[in-house]
PDB file of all heavy atoms in Angstrom:
ATOM      1  N   SER A  32      -2.535  -4.074  -7.341  1.00  0.00           N
ATOM      2  CA  SER A  32      -2.014  -5.432  -7.361  1.00  0.00           C
ATOM      3  C   SER A  32      -0.618  -5.440  -7.989  1.00  0.00           C
ATOM      4  O   SER A  32      -0.413  -4.872  -9.063  1.00  0.00           O
ATOM      5  CB  SER A  32      -2.952  -6.338  -8.174  1.00  0.00           C
ATOM      6  OG  SER A  32      -2.520  -7.667  -8.139  1.00  0.00           O
ATOM      7  N   GLY A  84       1.830 -18.828  11.417  1.00  0.00           N
ATOM      8  CA  GLY A  84       1.970 -19.929  12.351  1.00  0.00           C
ATOM      9  C   GLY A  84       0.760 -20.831  12.445  1.00  0.00           C
ATOM     10  O   GLY A  84       0.785 -21.837  13.158  1.00  0.00           O
ATOM     11  N   GLU A 171      13.265  18.077  -8.467  1.00  0.00           N
ATOM     12  CA  GLU A 171      12.208  17.482  -7.635  1.00  0.00           C
ATOM     13  C   GLU A 171      11.790  16.129  -8.183  1.00  0.00           C
ATOM     14  O   GLU A 171      11.625  15.165  -7.431  1.00  0.00           O
ATOM     15  CB  GLU A 171      11.014  18.433  -7.544  1.00  0.00           C
ATOM     16  CG  GLU A 171      11.268  19.655  -6.682  1.00  0.00           C
ATOM     17  CD  GLU A 171      10.215  20.735  -6.852  1.00  0.00           C
ATOM     18  OE1 GLU A 171       9.370  20.603  -7.766  1.00  0.00           O
ATOM     19  OE2 GLU A 171      10.246  21.725  -6.089  1.00  0.00           O
ATOM     20  N   TYR A 201      13.412  19.447  -1.229  1.00  0.00           N
ATOM     21  CA  TYR A 201      12.822  19.085  -2.524  1.00  0.00           C
ATOM     22  C   TYR A 201      11.574  18.225  -2.333  1.00  0.00           C
ATOM     23  O   TYR A 201      10.547  18.414  -2.999  1.00  0.00           O
ATOM     24  CB  TYR A 201      13.838  18.341  -3.388  1.00  0.00           C
ATOM     25  CG  TYR A 201      14.878  19.217  -4.032  1.00  0.00           C
ATOM     26  CD1 TYR A 201      16.227  18.934  -3.893  1.00  0.00           C
ATOM     27  CD2 TYR A 201      14.510  20.320  -4.809  1.00  0.00           C
ATOM     28  CE1 TYR A 201      17.201  19.736  -4.487  1.00  0.00           C
ATOM     29  CE2 TYR A 201      15.470  21.118  -5.407  1.00  0.00           C
ATOM     30  CZ  TYR A 201      16.816  20.829  -5.244  1.00  0.00           C
ATOM     31  OH  TYR A 201      17.767  21.616  -5.841  1.00  0.00           O
TER      32      TYR A 201
END
Side-chain angles (χ1 to χ4, degrees):
S32 184
E171 288 167 351
Y201 283 128

